[in-house]
Amino acid sequence: MTEHRHASTRPTASGPWVIDTRDIGRRAGLSRPLVRSVPGEGVGLLGVIAVPEGGEVELDLLIESVVEGLLVSGTAFAKVEGECSRCLEPLTDEVEVRITELYAWPDSTTDETTDEDEVSRIVNDLIDLEPVVRDAIVLALPQAPLCEPDCKGLCSECGGRWAELGPDHGHETIDPRWAALQERFSDDNSEEK
């Protein structure tokens, strides 16, 4: 038997994201549900929108034994916080993603014929759900989150939020080439009064 070539993908033996699969077995058709809350702090687009400090990711999964490994399917749900990309107001949202991932058995045909980054692996009867769930959540989040779909953003002159400024808000700007002329007419109008 050859040394396993995927040693760098070895999950640690414990942690909320790591699942011990020995109780499922290798016989195709066996399965077990997995419902768990795991720490999700930092899952998302950091600095834009992500699971906040102390936040959790709710996993509702089914782990099924198949010929080539374990098929993990179900959903992951999390509450996220961020900042509107137009008006910079804080925002909260929810994200729910569908998870379907094959974890290949060591020395299976899938394990032997795929590159390390193509398929997740079962190592020492353990699977690590974090990379798969993290990637799914990141891909589902908007890169430019909005507080409202029609957020108008900020006034470029004063920096106020358009939603609070109202439709009559404006800034009168005078072309500097005409400023002297306007001052002349303003002086004439004040003299006539």
Side-chain angles (χ1 to χ4, degrees):
M1 187 161 284
T2 63
E3 183 179 331
H4 197 264
R5 62 189 172 100
H6 302 292
S8 65
T9 61
R10 180 168 304 193
T12 58
S14 65
W17 292 94
V18 177
I19 309 302
D20 187 338
T21 64
R22 286 178 288 192
D23 63 332
I24 300 171
R26 287 185 77 150
R27 195 175 87 214
L30 296 176
S31 66
R32 81 165 154 115
L34 174 73
V35 177
R36 179 182 287 188
S37 295
V38 293
E41 181 178 335
V43 173
L45 302 167
L46 296 181
V48 179
I49 188 167
V51 177
E53 184 176 335
E56 295 187 329
V57 176
E58 306 293 328
L59 303 175
D60 187 0
L61 305 170
L62 180 65
I63 304 173
E64 301 174 83
S65 183
V66 295
V67 174
E68 290 297 311
L70 293 171
L71 181 66
V72 177
S73 58
T75 60
F77 169 85
K79 292 183 179 181
V80 292
E81 293 179 0
E83 191 174 83
C84 179
S85 62
R86 290 185 187 159
C87 71
L88 309 178
E89 283 294 302
L91 60 85
T92 58
D93 202 355
E94 298 175 344
V95 62
E96 184 171 350
V97 293
R98 198 83 197 120
I99 305 293
T100 304
E101 182 75 11
L102 175 66
Y103 288 81
W105 294 117
D107 302 320
S108 66
T109 303
T110 300
D111 181 48
E112 298 296 330
T113 60
T114 58
D115 290 333
E116 189 173 328
D117 60 346
E118 288 182 280
V119 175
S120 298
R121 305 297 201 272
I122 302 166
V123 180
N124 298 332
D125 295 315
L126 301 173
I127 59 175
D128 186 359
L129 299 172
E130 185 175 15
V132 171
V133 174
R134 182 179 295 275
D135 288 352
I137 289 175
V138 166
L139 291 173
L141 291 172
Q143 291 184 7
L146 299 174
C147 60
E148 296 177 23
D150 60 345
C151 177
K152 293 178 177 39
L154 303 174
C155 173
S156 61
E157 296 292 320
C158 66
R161 289 184 65 224
W162 280 111
E164 296 170 354
L165 296 174
D168 297 336
H169 178 76
H171 298 274
E172 188 175 318
T173 56
I174 300 170
D175 187 324
R177 296 171 291 184
W178 296 103
L181 188 57
Q182 181 179 3
E183 286 176 22
R184 169 106 169 115
F185 282 115
S186 296
D187 291 343
D188 288 347
N189 288 340
S190 60
E191 289 173 8
E192 291 175 8
K193 291 182 185 178

